[in-house]
Amino acid sequence: MSTTPAPEDLRRFLDVATEAAMAGGAVLQKYWGNLSSVQEKGRSGDLVTEADRASEVDVLNVIKRHFPDHAILAEESGQLGQRDNRFLWAIDPLDGTTNYAHQYPLCAVSIGLLVAGVPTVGVVYNPILNDLYRAAKGLGATHNRQPMQVSATAQLSDSLLVTGFAYDRRETSDNNYAEFCHLTHLTQGVRRGGSASIDLAHVACGCLDGYWERGLSPWDLAAGAVLVEEAGGQLSAYDGSPFDIYSGRLVATNGPLHQLIVQELAKVQPLPQFKPA
C-alpha cells in the first residue's frame, strides 16, 4: 500500500509549504543588509542571525496553524512533536546564513515534508532573487510556476557540478577537499554555492548537472530532494545505495551522470596536507 497521500492532499501540503516559505522569505527581505547580530553556534563558520530566528517563527506559525498535529524538525527550534509522526516537516528558515550575512544572494527558506520518512513535498524560496522552486511526489516540479527538468548532460567532461564543505572540515580528513579537486579536473567546473537547498534546486532546474556533499542535516535536504526527483533526477548515497536523509550525505544528479560521479567519488583519497593535526 502506497504511503503517498492523495493528489488533493499533496496540493494542499504544497500550498501551505509555499505560504510558509513566502512568509519566511518576507522576513529575510526585511533583514537583508540590516543585521544587528551575527553569532556562531559553537562551531567555526556555523552562523545564526536574528533573521534566521525571526524567519523560523513565521514559518512555524503557518505550519502549526494549518497542521497542528504534524511534527516539525527545524534548524533553530529542533524537534517539535514525535519524529515517528507520519507527517514531519523539515525546515531551514535560512539556508545559506553565511551568504546572507555577507549579502551574497544565494540563500533560501527550505521547507520539506516527510511522509512516513519519505521526502514528499518540497519548497525552496530565494527571496533575494525571487526564485520559487516547488515539487510534490507525482505532481512534477516547477521554477516560478513553470515546469522544470534536469539537464541531459551525459559526459563528465561536459558537466558543471556543485558541492559544499561542512562546518567540521577543519576537524576531519573526510572534508571534501580532495573530491572537489578530483571532480574539478574532470568537468567544466565545480561550483561552491553555500546553500544545499539552492544547489539541489539548481540541479533540478538543469543549470547544474550534479551535486554531492557531506555533513548535511535533514532540513538541508528534504525539500531539495523532492525537487530533484520530480524534475527527473536521481538521488543516492555516495556509494550508490539508497539515499538516507539522516545520513548527512547525498549525491544528486540529472541521472545520466549519476553512476559516473559515484565511481569517481569512490576513487578519491583525502589530501594529506588537510588532515587534522
Side-chain angles (χ1 to χ4, degrees):
M1 181 177 178
S2 173
T3 60
T4 304
E8 58 269 24
D9 292 326
L10 286 172
R11 292 187 184 94
R12 182 180 176 220
F13 295 147
L14 185 58
D15 286 343
V16 170
T18 304
E19 179 187 345
M22 300 297 281
V27 172
L28 300 185
Q29 288 171 337
K30 181 180 73 172
Y31 280 100
W32 180 254
N34 295 300
L35 292 174
S36 61
S37 173
V38 180
Q39 301 171 328
E40 288 189 342
K41 292 193 286 186
R43 176 168 280 164
S44 178
D46 188 3
L47 304 182
V48 64
T49 73
E50 67 264 40
D52 297 71
R53 298 187 179 101
S55 172
E56 184 164 294
V57 168
D58 282 15
V59 168
L60 295 186
N61 284 342
V62 173
I63 300 297
K64 290 175 180 178
R65 183 172 73 250
H66 288 279
F67 304 114
D69 296 331
H70 289 190
I72 292 171
L73 180 62
E75 180 169 17
E76 307 308 331
S77 301
Q79 182 76 38
L80 306 171
Q82 297 300 312
R83 185 172 290 188
D84 60 0
N85 190 314
R86 183 176 181 231
F87 299 103
L88 175 66
W89 293 88
I91 295 166
D92 192 338
L94 174 47
D95 183 24
T97 301
T98 300
N99 288 352
Y100 182 89
H102 289 271
Q103 296 184 59
Y104 183 69
L106 289 185
C107 52
V109 182
S110 178
I111 301 177
L113 174 63
L114 279 63
V115 179
V118 178
T120 302
V121 172
V123 173
V124 174
Y125 177 50
N126 180 339
I128 310 307
L129 300 180
N130 200 29
D131 276 327
L132 176 65
Y133 304 88
R134 304 181 349 129
K137 258 194 182 308
L139 301 183
T142 63
H143 174 208
N144 291 336
R145 310 284 181 168
Q146 298 301 310
M148 68 177 178
Q149 64 182 24
V150 295
S151 72
T153 305
Q155 301 294 327
L156 277 176
S157 58
D158 297 328
S159 70
L160 182 64
L161 309 183
V162 67
T163 191
F165 303 99
Y167 297 121
D168 66 354
R169 61 189 179 272
R170 299 176 184 89
E171 304 157 18
T172 175
S173 58
D174 181 18
N175 53 27
N176 207 24
Y177 295 163
E179 291 89 342
F180 180 88
C181 293
H182 183 75
L183 283 164
T184 296
H185 192 69
L186 297 176
T187 64
Q188 292 187 353
V190 176
R191 301 294 178 250
R192 199 273 173 137
S195 167
S197 63
I198 293 290
D199 293 341
L200 288 163
H202 286 172
V203 172
C205 73
C207 62
L208 294 170
D209 304 303
Y211 165 73
W212 84 97
E213 194 170 347
R214 59 165 295 279
L216 298 163
S217 298
W219 51 75
D220 297 315
L221 299 173
V226 185
L227 296 177
V228 171
E229 287 198 313
E230 286 302 305
Q234 185 174 347
L235 308 173
S236 80
Y238 271 30
D239 63 0
S241 61
F243 163 56
D244 174 4
I245 196 168
Y246 295 106
S247 72
R249 294 175 183 262
L250 174 67
V251 178
T253 74
N254 63 352
L257 292 174
H258 201 90
Q259 192 57 32
L260 294 172
I261 292 174
V262 166
Q263 289 171 354
E264 293 302 329
L265 288 174
K267 298 176 182 178
V268 181
Q269 297 298 314
L271 295 174
Q273 64 266 43
F274 291 111
K275 289 183 179 180

